[in-house]
Amino acid sequence: MAVRKTYLAVIGAALLLGGCSFSSEALWPTLAGEENAGTENSAAMADTSGADATTSTDVARSSQPLTGMSQTGTFVGSKVENMQAELNRLKSALSDHSNELQQLRAQTVRNSQAYHGTVAAISARLQVGTTPGNPVLVQQWNTAQQELDRVNDDIAAMNSLANKVAADSTLSTFLLESVRSAYQVSGAVDEDHRQLALLEDETNRTTVLIDRLLNEISEGLARQTSYVSNERANLNALALAVKNGEIFGDALSKRVFQSQAAPASAGSSMASTSDRPLVVIRFDSPSVKYEQALYNAVNRVLERRPQASFDVVAVTPNRGTPAQVALNSNKSKRNAQSVLRSLTDMGMPSARVRVSDATSASVSANEVHVFVR
């Protein structure tokens, strides 16, 4: 009896080991396949990022034409054939539009890299010092503007693509409603309804992918439009730096948040801005270099108070004959307009700056005072 038990135990162990060997042989190729699939997915993800790669992969998989439909000879069967052809055309258009989006993104990256490379070259030259209005830097600035215009052209192309995908979305919605309505048509056989179910499922998947692609394009448009707007302001600030031959920094618009600016009032007096001025610019010589000091002062204020606005006051000495006072007042107002232009070139929205004029007996030359409000 003990011998029989031992014999049965040996047979059971052999069967168990054989089962383990069989299980490992059956599972190992599957695990290897999953590992290879994971490597391929990682390589695909390296080309794109995040949801973009996911959508591109899903669109690539769904772009295969729907097949396997058989002719039933019924009226509903003929409608199934027409809707199948329409769905395959829609899937092909979706694949083309997804590829076009990827190409536009790659093109935008190249254009942005070229733009930032040119801007970096200008900034590096300004940082080490150069002459005012250096023609080499002026040419580079013009090149940077052209490269930014190319990014703007990419935005226009993306907007055109958004219209195409929106048309795809409309068509997919109509096709889905047509498939669902076909269920109610009499004279169908069971095979017709089976094929309608396949069409409905595939159309639903295609509609989801179209909506996802349209959302990605909309987000990209908003992001790129904001990017170009900010870089336009940075280019304006860079143009002023090239003109003066000294680097300032990023556009002031990066510090400024949107807010409702107070309306400008003409002819305000010094009493309306009686606080201590942030900057005093004395125009006592034909050429006064004030831009760097003005930029630094305004930038420090915006770091602490992003919502701050500014008053630019043209101050005229209250001395001499009325004709001399009037002449000095005109010069002082022109100086204030120059300061306003400098601020806008640095990226400050003109709605955040209010210009006024005043006279004072305490100044000996035309001055421009900048106040924070």
Side-chain angles (χ1 to χ4, degrees):
M1 189 69 180
V3 173
R4 179 174 296 182
K5 290 181 179 180
T6 304
Y7 178 73
L8 291 175
V10 170
I11 294 177
L15 292 176
L16 182 60
L17 291 174
C20 291
S21 175
F22 177 80
S23 299
S24 63
E25 289 175 358
L27 292 176
W28 182 255
T30 304
L31 294 174
E34 289 178 354
E35 182 177 0
N36 292 335
T39 304
E40 293 175 359
N41 291 337
S42 299
M45 291 294 285
D47 295 335
T48 52
S49 60
D52 300 344
T54 303
T55 300
S56 300
T57 303
D58 291 342
V59 170
R61 291 173 180 172
S62 68
S63 62
Q64 300 298 325
L66 179 62
T67 58
M69 299 294 188
S70 60
Q71 297 180 356
T72 60
T74 64
F75 174 73
V76 175
S78 64
K79 290 181 67 67
V80 167
E81 293 179 17
N82 294 335
M83 289 185 292
Q84 177 188 2
E86 193 67 32
L87 176 60
N88 287 336
R89 284 193 293 268
L90 180 62
K91 289 158 69 71
S92 177
L94 174 61
S95 178
D96 293 340
H97 295 157
S98 178
N99 293 333
E100 184 178 353
L101 176 60
Q102 300 307 318
Q103 293 172 2
L104 277 175
R105 282 173 172 158
Q107 180 175 313
T108 301
V109 168
R110 291 192 298 268
N111 292 334
S112 298
Q113 288 174 341
Y115 163 76
H116 284 290
T118 305
V119 169
I122 298 173
S123 300
R125 188 64 178 271
L126 289 171
Q127 184 176 356
V128 299
T130 185
T131 57
N134 188 325
V136 175
L137 297 188
V138 172
Q139 179 60 37
Q140 288 179 330
W141 187 91
N142 291 331
T143 302
Q145 189 176 41
Q146 293 171 2
E147 291 163 346
L148 189 61
D149 288 339
R150 294 191 188 99
V151 177
N152 196 51
D153 293 340
D154 295 338
I155 294 177
M158 191 176 293
N159 190 51
S160 176
L161 178 61
N163 294 331
K164 297 177 184 177
V165 178
D168 292 344
S169 179
T170 302
L171 180 58
S172 67
T173 302
F174 172 77
L175 183 59
L176 186 60
E177 292 298 326
S178 300
V179 172
R180 290 171 177 171
S181 298
Y183 282 107
Q184 309 301 324
V185 178
S186 62
V189 297
D190 292 340
E191 179 63 18
D192 290 331
H193 279 205
R194 187 190 71 82
Q195 295 180 4
L196 282 174
L198 293 176
L199 270 177
E200 183 180 11
D201 292 343
E202 194 65 22
T203 305
N204 266 320
R205 283 192 289 268
T206 304
T207 301
V208 170
L209 290 176
I210 291 174
D211 291 341
R212 189 181 301 169
L213 183 63
L214 190 59
N215 289 336
E216 286 186 11
I217 296 175
S218 300
E219 293 173 0
L221 277 172
R223 184 169 56 251
Q224 295 300 327
T225 301
S226 176
Y227 162 80
V228 170
S229 177
N230 291 335
E231 291 306 319
R232 292 287 186 200
N234 287 335
L235 268 185
N236 289 336
L238 193 61
L240 183 62
V242 171
K243 175 184 176 182
N244 295 328
E246 56 181 350
I247 192 168
F248 294 131
D250 292 333
L252 293 176
S253 57
K254 286 191 174 183
R255 304 285 186 184
V256 175
F257 295 165
Q258 295 296 330
S259 65
Q260 184 66 33
S265 59
S268 60
S269 64
M270 288 289 288
S272 63
T273 56
S274 58
D275 296 335
R276 182 178 178 181
L278 174 68
V279 178
V280 176
I281 306 172
R282 184 172 293 103
F283 289 89
D284 51 2
S285 63
S287 178
V288 179
K289 293 185 177 181
Y290 60 86
E291 284 88 355
Q292 185 66 68
L294 177 64
Y295 175 89
N296 292 339
V298 173
N299 189 50
R300 285 195 299 268
V301 170
L302 293 176
E303 287 178 352
R304 299 190 302 268
R305 294 175 51 191
Q307 301 288 342
S309 299
F310 300 89
D311 282 328
V312 176
V313 183
V315 183
T316 306
N318 190 11
R319 299 178 182 177
T321 64
Q324 291 175 333
V325 172
L327 183 61
N328 287 331
S329 178
N330 290 333
K331 291 181 180 180
S332 185
K333 290 177 181 179
R334 287 196 298 269
N335 293 335
Q337 291 297 327
S338 298
V339 173
L340 174 62
R341 283 194 299 271
S342 296
L343 285 173
T344 54
D345 289 342
M346 293 172 187
M348 174 65 65
S350 57
R352 303 286 293 269
V353 184
R354 183 171 57 188
V355 181
S356 59
D357 63 279
T359 58
S360 175
S362 61
V363 299
S364 58
N366 290 335
E367 296 180 354
V368 173
H369 295 183
V370 180
F371 296 85
V372 182
R373 57 181 171 88

